[in-house]
Amino acid sequence: MTTRESELRISATEFKATCLELLDRLSARKLTRLIITKRGTAVAIVRPVDATTDAEALFGCLKGAVRVPRGSDLTAPVLDEPLFAVKGRIHE
């Protein structure tokens, strides 16, 4: 575990053991970001959500972006024939 200012670099194993405490520290703004590593290589960066920008901008951002034509059945099969992916082919 290494710390630089309010940034923490931690292994995935350490993160797994202390994730709830680390998320509390992020939420309280005691950390600005958390870098999770596997075998010394960064695999994820976790940072606190900026409530006014990130969360609010994402919630409902696609509302009205998709139009489904009347009479469309979204539960109907797309293909008339079965797929044969197990055999490595789309069609038989």
Side-chain angles (χ1 to χ4, degrees):
M1 190 182 323
T2 59
T3 306
R4 190 183 80 197
E5 298 169 13
S6 59
E7 175 181 290
L8 180 64
R9 188 176 189 94
I10 189 169
S11 72
T13 304
E14 290 175 290
F15 176 75
K16 184 178 176 182
T18 60
C19 66
L20 295 177
E21 184 260 329
L22 291 168
L23 292 175
D24 287 343
R25 288 174 61 189
L26 281 166
S27 178
R29 303 295 198 257
K30 293 177 183 174
L31 290 173
T32 56
R33 72 183 197 163
L34 177 62
I35 301 170
I36 303 167
T37 63
K38 277 183 105 174
R39 297 183 186 100
T41 303
V43 295
I45 295 176
V46 181
R47 63 179 184 83
V49 173
D50 180 2
T52 57
T53 18
D54 295 341
E56 290 175 5
L58 287 175
F59 183 77
C61 68
L62 293 176
K63 183 178 180 179
V66 177
R67 303 273 185 223
V68 178
R70 285 185 193 263
S72 296
D73 183 2
L74 298 179
T75 62
V78 177
L79 299 174
D80 294 332
E81 57 190 87
L83 297 177
F84 296 93
V86 173
K87 297 178 183 176
R89 299 187 305 275
I90 295 177
H91 306 285
E92 187 160 76

